[in-house]
Amino acid sequence: MANHEDVYDVTIIGGGPAGLYSAFYSGMRDMKTKIVEYQAQLGGKILLYPEKIIWDIGGLPPTPGQQVLTNLNEQARTFEPTICLNEQIQELIRREDGIFILKGTSGETHYSKSIVLAVGHGIFKTAKLEIEGADRYEVTNLHYTVQQLDKFKDQHVIISGGGNSAVDWANALEPIAASVAVVHRRDEFGGHESNVKQMRASSVDVLTPYCVEELHGDEAGTAIERVTLKDLETEECVEHQVDAVIVNHGYKMDLDFLLESPLEFKTNEGILAVNEKMETSVPGVFAAGDLVNNDGKLRLIAGAYVDGAKAINQAKLFIQPDATEQAYVSSHNERFKEKNKELLKNEKLVHAGTH
Ligand SMILES: Cc1cc2nc3c(=O)[nH]c(=O)nc-3n(C[C@H](O)[C@H](O)[C@H](O)COP(=O)(O)OP(=O)(O)OC[C@H]3O[C@@H](n4cnc5c(N)ncnc54)[C@H](O)[C@@H]3O)c2cc1C
C-alpha cells in the first residue's frame, strides 16, 4: 500500500457528475488531480438510472443515463487524473503546514493542497419500507431502484413515495406496465412540476393520502402478491393485487465525516453551506453538486457541472493566487492543442476512408 506523501493540487471526494466534471475542469487548469470514490464504479447517482432518458442537459439530445455515464467517464479521464475506487473517506483534517490529510477505509492516507467535496448525499443509503419482514422480498419483487424498465412490462406496479424519483418512475413505467398506482402520504408531490402534471394527466392511479400498510406474500412466501393500502384520513384499508412494488422513500444522508470533522463545516438546512463561489466555511475546501446549499442552487446534473467548474477555479486560486480567475475556454485553451491535432488527423482519416 503506497502511503508515501504524494501531495496533489486538488483531491475531489466523490465520483458522481459533480466530481467527474470537476476532474476534467481541473485538468484544464493544469492541476495535479485525484478523485476518490466509495463505489467500485464512477458515476454517482446516474448508476441508479442507467435506462432513464435524460433530457435536461444543455446541448445533449435525449440520452440514456448509461450513455451520459460513459461520456462523463471519458471526459473526466482526459487529463489522466489519479482515480481511487472502493475508497470511502472517513476523516478530513488539516495539518499545521496547511496540507489536507484524508483517511480512507482502505487504510491509505491522501495528501492534498485543496479539496473539492462532491459527495452528493454521502454514502448512498436508500430509506427502506418500514414493514417487518419486507426485506425478504428484496430478492424478488420489492425494489428500491429501477435498473431495467422492461422488467415491469405488463405488470401491475405500485410505487410508494412522493418525491422526484417516485414521480419519474411512474411516468417512465406508465406506457410499459399493465397498471401503475402511486401511493403517497400527502396530497402534494415533491417532483418537478411538469412531471407531476404529466403523471396526474396519465392513467397512473394517484392514491393520496395513503400508505402501504402490509405486504402479503404468495404461497411460497417469496414474492409479494397483494398489498394492503391504508387511507390515512379515513383509516380504511384496501387490498391491491400486484406484480411489483417500488419504494422511493428518499435517501438517507451519511455525511458524518464532514459533520463530525474537527474543521467544523457550516451547514444550511442540514446540507453543506457554500457561498456563490462554492467556498465552504473552511479555507481550501470547496464543494459542488447535490451536497451543497446556496441561493438558487440548481439540483440537476447541469447544476453540478457549473458548481464543479466554479469550485475548481477557486481551488486553483487558493493554491496559486496569481492564476487567472477561470480557465481559458476549451476552444482557446493550450491544453487541447495536441489533442485537437490528433482529433483533426483522425477526422481526416475518417473522411478519407469514406471517399
Ligand atoms: C432517480 C433519479 C433521476 C434523476 N434524473 C435526473 C435527470 O433527468 N436530470 C438531471 O439533471 N438530474 C437528475 N437526477 C439528479 C442527478 O442525478 C443529481 O443531481 C447528480 O447525480 C448529482 O451529482 P453529484 O456528483 O453531486 O452527486 P452524486 O451523483 O450523488 O455522486 C456523489 C458520489 O460521491 C460518493 N461518495 C459519497 N461519500 C463519499 C465518501 N465519504 N468517500 C468517497 N466517495 C463518496 C458517492 O458514492 C457518489 O458516487 C436524478 C436523480 C435521481 C435519484
Side-chain angles (χ1 to χ4, degrees):
M1 190 173 301
N3 237 355
H4 61 280
E5 200 164 310
D6 190 6
V7 183
Y8 280 75
D9 290 332
V10 62
T11 297
I12 299 161
I13 312 177
L20 291 175
Y21 191 74
S22 298
F24 165 70
Y25 198 84
S26 76
M28 280 178 70
R29 301 241 49 180
D30 210 6
M31 292 165 87
K32 182 175 168 178
T33 306
K34 184 187 263 187
I35 313 176
V36 183
E37 167 56 49
Y38 159 71
Q39 297 203 61
Q41 293 175 66
L42 295 170
K45 288 195 197 82
I46 306 182
L47 291 165
L48 296 174
Y49 51 95
E51 290 207 353
K52 190 175 167 291
I53 307 287
I54 303 177
W55 287 73
D56 44 4
I57 302 177
L60 208 65
T63 308
Q66 182 55 54
Q67 188 58 50
V68 173
L69 265 182
T70 307
N71 295 352
L72 262 172
N73 256 281
E74 197 180 316
Q75 188 182 37
R77 291 171 196 266
T78 308
F79 299 104
E80 298 172 2
T82 299
I83 299 173
C84 305
L85 297 174
N86 295 309
E87 173 73 316
Q88 177 184 349
I89 295 301
Q90 286 187 309
E91 198 181 320
L92 169 58
I93 51 175
R94 188 172 38 203
R95 217 164 51 184
E96 272 182 10
D97 63 358
I99 298 294
F100 290 99
I101 313 276
L102 298 103
K103 294 207 169 133
T105 37
S106 71
E108 182 132 4
T109 303
H110 309 268
Y111 302 89
S112 200
K113 294 179 191 166
S114 68
I115 303 285
V116 170
L117 299 168
V119 296
H121 295 102
I123 300 300
F124 208 73
K125 286 186 189 144
T126 39
K128 297 282 176 105
L129 192 63
E130 287 174 7
I131 292 180
E132 220 185 294
D135 53 341
R136 95 179 80 125
Y137 303 117
E138 286 179 24
V139 287
T140 51
N141 61 350
L142 173 63
H143 309 273
Y144 289 96
T145 63
V146 175
Q147 291 287 330
Q148 251 181 299
L149 291 172
D150 257 9
K151 208 170 161 180
F152 301 91
K153 193 169 184 302
D154 300 329
Q155 293 201 344
H156 296 284
V157 181
I158 284 195
I159 301 176
S160 175
N164 215 10
S165 302
V167 175
D168 257 13
W169 290 125
N171 288 333
L173 291 172
E174 191 260 350
I176 298 168
S179 72
V180 178
V182 172
V183 180
H184 181 37
R185 305 184 77 89
R186 283 180 287 282
D187 292 329
E188 302 79 36
F189 283 84
H192 294 303
E193 251 165 72
S194 59
N195 293 349
V196 176
K197 219 165 149 187
Q198 182 189 339
M199 176 182 77
R200 288 195 188 275
S202 71
S203 70
V204 172
D205 194 7
V206 178
L207 299 166
T208 62
Y210 270 83
C211 73
V212 176
E213 182 71 1
E214 233 178 303
L215 305 175
H216 308 277
D218 56 11
E219 257 179 48
T222 51
I224 307 164
E225 195 177 63
R226 287 168 295 121
V227 295
T228 301
L229 304 179
K230 184 163 142 192
D231 182 326
L232 294 168
E233 255 165 28
T234 63
E235 306 240 313
E236 263 172 50
C237 287
V238 280
E239 274 193 12
H240 272 247
Q241 211 58 41
V242 289
D243 298 306
V245 176
I246 301 170
V247 176
N248 283 129
H249 288 180
Y251 310 102
K252 285 189 182 148
M253 300 216 278
D254 176 3
L255 294 170
D256 291 355
F257 85 99
L258 283 182
L259 303 179
E260 290 165 12
S261 164
L263 295 176
E264 293 183 7
F265 289 97
K266 237 193 227 148
T267 55
N268 177 1
E269 292 172 14
I271 314 181
L272 193 72
V274 290
N275 62 14
E276 67 286 356
K277 292 180 176 173
M278 313 317 288
E279 290 169 317
T280 68
S281 53
V282 178
V285 182
F286 309 89
D290 277 4
L291 164 72
V292 305
N293 207 357
N294 60 5
D295 279 351
K297 165 66 193 153
L298 192 59
R299 234 162 270 288
L300 284 176
I301 293 167
Y305 295 165
V306 177
D307 291 352
K310 284 168 136 186
I312 289 292
N313 281 328
Q314 294 312 311
K316 177 76 180 179
L317 287 166
F318 180 76
I319 62 172
Q320 191 190 324
D322 63 347
T324 54
E325 279 196 7
Q326 47 183 287
Y328 288 111
V329 288
S330 64
S331 55
H332 291 57
N333 193 306
E334 283 293 309
R335 296 225 73 197
F336 294 104
K337 219 171 173 179
E338 289 307 312
K339 292 181 193 298
N340 285 342
K341 267 193 209 155
E342 205 52 37
L343 282 175
L344 289 169
K345 205 165 76 191
N346 287 343
E347 200 159 287
K348 270 191 201 129
L349 287 178
V350 172
H351 287 314
T354 57
H355 287 311

